[in-house]
Amino acid sequence: MALIDQVKQVCTRLAPHGWAELFKLHGLDITAADLGKELSRPLPGIRRELQGFEDFAVEGSRGIEPGQPARSLLYHALASPGVVEGPGIPRLEHFPTLAELDTVESYVFAARKASLQELRTQVQGLPLAVVVFSSEYRTSKHTAHGKHADLVFSRSGVSRVGTAEPLYHHRFRGFVPQVDGNPYAIRVSPARFSAWLAVKLKGDKSNFLPMRFFGKRTNEHPFEPDDTLEFWQPVHKLFSGPECLRDFPELTLSFEARHFNEKLRRAHLALGKNFDSGWKGADLDNPPFRFSEGLAELSTSPELPPGVLVPVPHAALTEPASYQGKPLTYNVPTNAPVVSSSLLLPSGGGGARSAPEFLHARTRVEADGSLSDLNNLPEVAEEVRRGGFKALHYLDFSGDGWVSASCPRLQAAGLSGVAAYSMVAAPNFFVSYSQRELTEWTEGLPKEMRDRIWATPPDALSDERIAPNVLLPGSPFTLRDLSSTALVSLFGKVSSHNTRPVSVTLQRHSHLPDHAAGIFAPGWDVSFDITDGVKHMAAYGLGSPFPEDAKLCAALSTFWPAAAPDATRTFSRGSDGSNYFTVAPLTDAEIGQHGGPLPWDGEAGPKLISADGKRYAEFESFDHTDYVRNALEKKFTLQLTSQVTARRYEDRVLSMALAYRALDAIQQKQKNNLIVLSFREVLPGDTELLRAQAQARTTLPFESYRFEIFPAEKAERSPDDFRKRRVEVKALHTLFVDPRSRRILHKQDNGAWSLTQVGPLA
């Protein structure tokens, strides 16, 4: 069937559900008998003042502009998450499937009627290749150039593991990780890949190649300048059939995906250098030491286009490992280094992770095969450090690999193929907020304030200039390829016209690497290794299994600068007796405080108790907290954290910084000595806030946040439960913080409320 006929089917299905009326407002009739002609004629009455069309490219003047999705009104309206209604039209309830969007996108390029030679002329004779990209159509604020809504591309894609089948949310135009009615289920989040004829170009700031161009090496960006690097930029979409290229009437295109998880293999190679870990040699090449099955597969669903990679759902995020029909164990070294109760594996030079940094070692396998949970021992960390026992291995289903495309006719014509790097990563608990947004917001803060909030500035993976994993079995990558995570736009001169900067908050997954965290000791989404002196990404450097990493990253907030949960205040003092101060506090509800039913990690937050005539804050013991066990028992939830928007996340960080300032805690050591007992958003009409404002004779004009903070004392084991720690509360500060006005109401214990006006935080 011709592509225009397929597009007509899409329009026919959607027309009765408000779409025909919506397009008529712009002068486009999607029910026209000759739809191809209708889509190609100029539209003088496009109404860019309507919601969702404010950021439609100024140059766009037709339903379909050949070769230009961002200038095609039909494609923009169907693909943009900002288009959900129209004036006088009830809220749209029917939207295109991802497969239908792919069809319209392909038609945009089919309408070009291009030949390979014409495309070569367009790129001035530079070599073209068949390159695989991940891509999304985004509102203007989140595109590579920021001028109008457009497709954004990267040669890396991030899918995420889960316990339930994927769900494409048609209104959001993306996949959502939440499961209605089951807060403890997490849907897998796919990544969409497609193949393009592409050209390799030097970085060019004037043409936004890439997004967030870096013109020089700095401490924050220790890479070669972008104008010295090469970036693949898509020119023309490839798809099967006679309409893709005029001179290739029988074009066929297929995709292949390969992924690996070799954390256990790498762990034994690291342990086995000076120690009998229990396994070596050919065994380490077998599953589950290294495995591919059960990680991710290309979808065959008719509602999804070719090239959509879907992680395989599993009953839990982790599971006990087995080999040769028996539980898989390893020998825990004696006098082993530990962080909290996690076994610490040595790193390579330059911080390279040739093996998982942390290994779970708290399930001891006894001589009779029975299992002992070391979390039931008072000195669990010391037991792991002492070692000398067999521990059970656990699996997770993360990994990395590639997605490649095969186009025999173009390969016969001399065009090479370039695969995309693919990461199957841990769930994203802040799905509504991207790492790039956090990075850009942080960069806008005064430097002194920025340095006081973060020990290391937060980076997005898209800002890294680092090679993909060259050590994958059969890896198609090279160490010279340093731009695979960068974000780029379609080839061609970028518009000189700005539209309105539109940003739509959506609780949907983004598979582009600006929604993934940068690589940092060892990482959240991917880690790094060093081969022949060159850094490259590697999923095997993350904890085994990944919840072992998540615990440490979440609890050490200033150590891990990412848009990830900051669970510092769930625990008394940090992992090893050191103090780590809260940066981006989770609310009482999000950590299950005061009996809240949905702690994000399954661990209840601190509570205030009385004992022996004293006040104490009682915490879970960090050493006894086992995220691997919580994952097995399906205690993780993103029900609440997924609702946190960019503004609310940023307000939390700013409010926390203001609260520290109000308490004269400027330096890190001073902040280390303060513990956040309670944090919540203040609802309108809050009676305590009204009393505080009346007493202080002022008002907080904008949304505010309530804190309870106390000076830290030495943590001690609870006499009633060795799994608990308690810290005496000698003085309790209550604060209402308005981050917009920088007004703070403060009282100590039962004292009077007073106003503090904080000036610039630099």
Side-chain angles (χ1 to χ4, degrees):
M1 182 187 298
L3 276 172
I4 185 59
D5 293 327
Q6 297 178 47
V7 172
K8 190 166 188 174
Q9 286 183 339
V10 175
C11 291
T12 299
R13 184 179 74 81
L14 295 175
H17 303 290
W19 286 94
E21 296 174 66
L22 180 60
F23 281 112
K24 275 185 180 179
L25 295 172
H26 302 277
L28 180 66
D29 181 7
I30 63 170
T31 65
D34 189 343
L35 184 60
K37 182 178 180 180
E38 175 69 10
L39 292 173
S40 65
R41 70 177 180 84
L43 301 172
I46 294 176
R47 298 180 59 182
R48 288 180 172 82
E49 80 278 9
L50 299 184
Q51 178 183 331
F53 296 91
E54 310 98 323
D55 61 347
F56 179 53
V58 172
E59 295 83 355
S61 62
R62 306 174 193 276
I64 294 293
E65 186 66 47
Q68 297 288 336
R71 299 180 184 181
S72 300
L73 184 72
L74 178 69
Y75 181 79
H76 171 84
L78 296 180
S80 173
V83 178
V84 294
E85 60 186 30
I89 300 171
R91 189 181 186 195
L92 297 169
E93 297 295 340
H94 291 74
F95 294 86
T97 67
L98 187 55
E100 289 174 330
L101 282 178
D102 182 75
T103 295
V104 177
E105 184 180 275
S106 296
Y107 179 70
V108 170
F109 290 91
R112 191 180 198 178
K113 296 181 170 53
S115 69
L116 182 59
Q117 184 54 48
E118 289 168 348
L119 295 174
R120 284 174 167 155
T121 300
Q122 181 187 357
V123 299
Q124 300 179 349
L126 292 172
L128 291 167
V130 177
V131 182
V132 177
F133 292 89
S134 62
S135 63
E136 291 176 347
Y137 192 75
R138 292 182 168 182
T139 53
S140 58
K141 187 178 178 181
H142 303 295
T143 61
H145 45 71
K147 291 180 176 293
H148 56 76
D150 205 350
L151 281 167
V152 181
F153 300 88
S154 175
R155 287 195 304 107
S156 295
V158 184
S159 56
R160 298 189 181 276
V161 300
T163 59
E165 295 290 338
L167 177 65
Y168 182 77
H169 194 293
H170 297 152
R171 182 187 305 278
F172 292 170
R173 277 65 155 202
F175 293 94
V176 293
Q178 306 93 329
V179 178
D180 290 343
N182 186 353
Y184 297 103
I186 300 175
R187 294 190 185 277
V188 297
S189 296
R192 182 198 176 198
F193 294 90
S194 50
W196 298 72
L197 287 176
V199 63
K200 187 186 289 185
L201 301 169
K202 290 283 189 182
D204 180 1
K205 184 178 182 179
S206 66
N207 212 35
F208 306 94
L209 180 66
M211 183 179 187
R212 288 180 53 78
F213 180 94
F214 293 94
K216 62 181 180 180
R217 184 193 293 264
T218 64
N219 291 335
E220 290 78 17
H221 190 80
F223 307 105
E224 293 299 318
D226 282 343
D227 55 9
T228 68
L229 302 178
E230 293 182 313
F231 300 83
W232 284 103
Q233 193 168 23
V235 177
H236 183 82
K237 186 182 179 185
L238 294 174
F239 47 90
S240 295
E243 299 180 66
C244 181
L245 291 169
R246 198 172 69 244
D247 44 351
F248 288 86
E250 297 180 5
L251 203 69
T252 59
L253 179 73
S254 60
F255 294 91
E256 181 186 26
R258 295 195 67 190
H259 294 80
F260 300 89
N261 177 315
E262 56 175 323
K263 289 181 177 179
L264 300 188
R265 175 178 179 273
R266 290 279 176 167
H268 281 271
L269 289 174
L271 288 170
K273 289 179 179 179
N274 303 299
F275 172 72
D276 178 13
S277 66
W279 300 96
K280 61 183 179 179
D283 285 309
L284 300 184
D285 294 327
N286 297 329
F289 297 99
R290 174 196 280 159
F291 67 98
S292 294
E293 295 296 320
L295 296 181
E297 301 171 348
L298 291 169
S299 174
T300 58
S301 168
E303 292 210 343
L304 300 178
V308 174
L309 184 80
V310 182
V312 177
H314 291 269
L317 296 174
T318 61
E319 69 178 38
S322 62
Y323 183 54
Q324 298 177 342
K326 300 177 182 178
L328 178 59
T329 65
Y330 70 99
N331 298 326
V332 179
T334 56
N335 298 314
V338 298
V339 174
S340 181
S341 49
S342 298
L343 184 65
L344 175 66
L345 299 186
S347 64
R353 302 300 332 172
S354 60
E357 183 167 14
F358 305 112
L359 199 57
H360 189 275
R362 276 160 284 165
T363 304
R364 185 169 61 201
V365 181
E366 309 293 355
D368 62 359
S370 61
L371 305 180
S372 296
D373 185 353
L374 300 187
N375 295 302
N376 293 328
L377 301 178
E379 305 295 340
V380 56
E382 176 60 24
E383 192 70 19
V384 174
R385 188 201 63 77
R386 188 180 299 120
F389 61 89
K390 290 185 178 296
L392 180 65
H393 269 311
Y394 290 89
L395 295 180
D396 67 46
F397 304 99
S398 64
D400 59 347
W402 66 87
V403 176
S404 60
S406 174
C407 192
R409 294 291 307 277
L410 293 180
Q411 290 166 329
L415 275 69
S416 60
V418 180
Y421 183 53
S422 174
M423 292 154 277
V424 184
N428 180 3
F429 288 89
F430 287 100
V431 69
S432 299
Y433 189 45
S434 75
Q435 183 72 22
R436 174 184 50 78
E437 290 176 289
L438 175 61
T439 300
E440 292 175 343
W441 177 76
T442 301
E443 289 173 345
L445 298 173
K447 185 178 186 306
E448 286 189 45
M449 179 184 178
R450 184 168 68 241
D451 293 344
R452 288 170 180 166
I453 291 177
W454 308 104
T456 300
D459 283 327
L461 187 58
S462 55
D463 288 347
E464 304 278 352
R465 303 293 180 255
I466 183 172
N469 191 351
V470 298
L471 297 183
L472 293 164
S475 175
F477 306 115
T478 72
L479 292 171
R480 299 185 302 276
D481 184 2
L482 302 178
S483 61
S484 67
T485 65
L487 302 187
V488 302
S489 56
L490 193 64
F491 176 84
K493 187 169 180 59
V494 172
S495 171
S496 60
H497 300 285
N498 289 314
T499 62
R500 282 181 53 187
V502 174
S503 177
V504 179
T505 298
L506 300 168
Q507 295 177 33
R508 72 170 190 181
H509 160 70
S510 173
H511 53 268
L512 294 185
D514 62 334
H515 275 246
I519 297 169
F520 185 83
W524 184 278
D525 299 305
V526 70
S527 188
F528 79 94
D529 200 354
I530 296 178
T531 297
D532 296 334
V534 180
K535 283 185 177 182
H536 59 85
M537 292 177 280
Y540 54 67
L542 300 175
S544 181
F546 74 77
E548 201 73 358
D549 251 354
K551 167 187 168 182
L552 294 161
C553 290
L556 313 183
S557 64
T558 55
F559 182 71
W560 178 241
D566 178 351
T568 309
R569 73 183 195 87
T570 300
F571 308 103
S572 56
R573 299 298 293 272
S575 66
D576 56 0
S578 301
N579 297 329
Y580 291 90
F581 61 86
T582 296
V583 172
L586 295 169
T587 65
D588 296 347
E590 290 160 0
I591 63 172
Q593 210 163 345
H594 312 305
L598 292 172
W600 77 276
D601 59 355
E603 297 294 328
K607 61 182 179 180
L608 202 60
I609 64 170
S610 297
D612 304 323
K614 299 178 180 179
R615 286 184 304 182
Y616 292 92
E618 187 176 68
F619 301 83
E620 299 294 330
S621 163
F622 187 66
D623 289 346
H624 291 86
T625 297
D626 194 335
Y627 276 17
V628 174
R629 180 67 54 189
N630 290 356
L632 285 168
E633 296 175 0
K634 302 180 185 178
K635 290 184 177 180
F636 282 94
T637 176
L638 42 70
Q639 185 80 9
L640 299 180
T641 56
S642 65
Q643 300 175 37
V644 178
T645 63
R647 176 175 172 176
R648 291 192 180 280
Y649 191 96
E650 292 159 6
D651 278 353
R652 292 181 182 199
V653 176
L654 185 56
S655 295
M656 189 74 257
L658 291 166
Y660 286 132
R661 172 59 71 88
L663 296 175
D664 295 323
I666 308 300
Q667 304 302 322
Q668 179 172 339
K669 183 177 180 180
Q670 296 169 312
K671 297 176 186 177
N672 289 343
N673 290 325
L674 294 174
I675 294 178
V676 179
L677 176 63
S678 175
F679 171 75
R680 63 176 173 83
E681 297 177 4
V682 179
L683 299 176
D686 184 277
T687 55
E688 185 184 19
L689 174 60
L690 294 175
R691 288 196 302 269
Q693 291 179 137
Q695 192 172 99
R697 297 184 179 181
T698 189
T699 59
L700 302 187
F702 304 109
E703 293 178 335
S704 59
Y705 297 83
R706 183 185 185 276
F707 291 85
E708 289 181 1
I709 302 175
F710 66 94
E713 299 290 330
K714 182 176 176 58
E716 59 185 52
R717 180 179 293 170
S718 170
D720 303 320
D721 185 352
F722 63 79
R723 294 173 179 269
K724 304 286 187 183
R725 298 291 181 268
R726 66 184 193 182
V727 181
E728 186 178 356
V729 180
K730 292 184 176 180
L732 184 62
H733 300 271
T734 305
L735 304 97
F736 287 100
V737 179
D738 178 348
R740 301 292 160 178
S741 69
R742 300 193 176 189
R743 292 183 181 181
I744 302 168
L745 298 177
H746 169 225
K747 73 168 184 175
Q748 179 177 329
D749 294 318
N750 295 319
W753 289 98
S754 62
L755 170 68
T756 300
Q757 178 72 59
V758 176
L761 295 180

